[in-house]
Amino acid sequence: MKANSPISLRVRLVLLVLLAVLPSLALILYTASVQRRVATEAAHDKLLRIANLTASDVSRVMEGAQQLLAGLAQTREIRGGNPAACDPVMAKLLAIYPFYSALGVSSPEGNVICSAVPLTNPVTVADRTWFQQALQTHDFTVGDYQVDRVS
């Protein structure tokens, strides 16, 4: 005997299964969305911590370089501008501080007169922005990353 219903039993069963599965699917999608937001916030927080640590490390390196340079500026070997006396001091310091690729002293004109790395040709730093800033401000300056003529 046939039922008078226009919807077959198969369609009813499919609708019943969909009705049971849809809340689960919605819960899965909502949970995935929440987990994604939490992971994004955690990644942002971690990135912020890393950036703060890096900035702190850079500040300490710059402070150390500034202290080293201030101390060097007080020595008679450096102030004298005599390469025979200055070069060995610089070479010794470069061996103690391998973090630096080169150490040197230049004249106010920008000519390198003393260097930890032996020079075969005259070198000038007069065109470097950090040198020009140091001359203008008479203070510690920081330049861009570069491949140096000495190192």
Side-chain angles (χ1 to χ4, degrees):
M1 176 159 120
K2 282 190 165 184
N4 290 338
S5 171
I7 301 175
S8 71
L9 181 60
R10 180 177 290 171
V11 172
R12 287 184 204 169
L13 285 174
V14 168
L15 288 175
L16 182 63
V17 169
L18 282 177
L19 190 62
V21 170
L22 282 178
S24 299
L25 182 61
L27 183 62
I28 289 170
L29 292 174
Y30 174 74
T31 303
S33 170
V34 168
Q35 286 177 344
R36 179 182 173 104
R37 188 172 53 247
V38 167
T40 301
E41 289 172 5
H44 184 267
D45 290 345
K46 187 175 182 178
L47 182 62
L48 187 60
R49 279 194 309 274
I50 290 171
N52 286 335
L53 286 173
T54 301
S56 176
D57 284 349
V58 167
S59 292
R60 280 195 296 270
V61 167
M62 288 176 47
E63 185 178 313
Q66 191 171 6
Q67 290 173 357
L68 176 64
L69 292 173
L72 279 173
Q74 302 307 312
T75 63
R76 64 179 148 74
E77 292 88 359
I78 304 300
R79 293 178 75 81
N82 178 6
C86 180
D87 287 349
V89 171
M90 289 294 190
K92 193 178 291 185
L93 283 172
L94 188 60
I96 294 171
Y97 299 105
F99 178 77
Y100 300 109
S101 60
L103 292 171
V105 176
S106 69
S107 68
E109 296 78 34
N111 299 318
V112 176
I113 55 175
C114 174
S115 176
V117 178
L119 301 177
T120 56
N121 296 320
V123 175
T124 183
V125 293
D127 61 334
R128 302 295 187 168
T129 56
W130 54 265
F131 181 78
Q132 294 166 0
Q133 286 176 341
L135 281 180
Q136 290 173 358
T137 62
H138 297 285
D139 199 6
F140 182 77
T141 62
V142 177
D144 297 327
Y145 179 81
Q146 63 191 25
V147 177
D148 197 21
R149 294 179 183 117
V150 176
S151 60

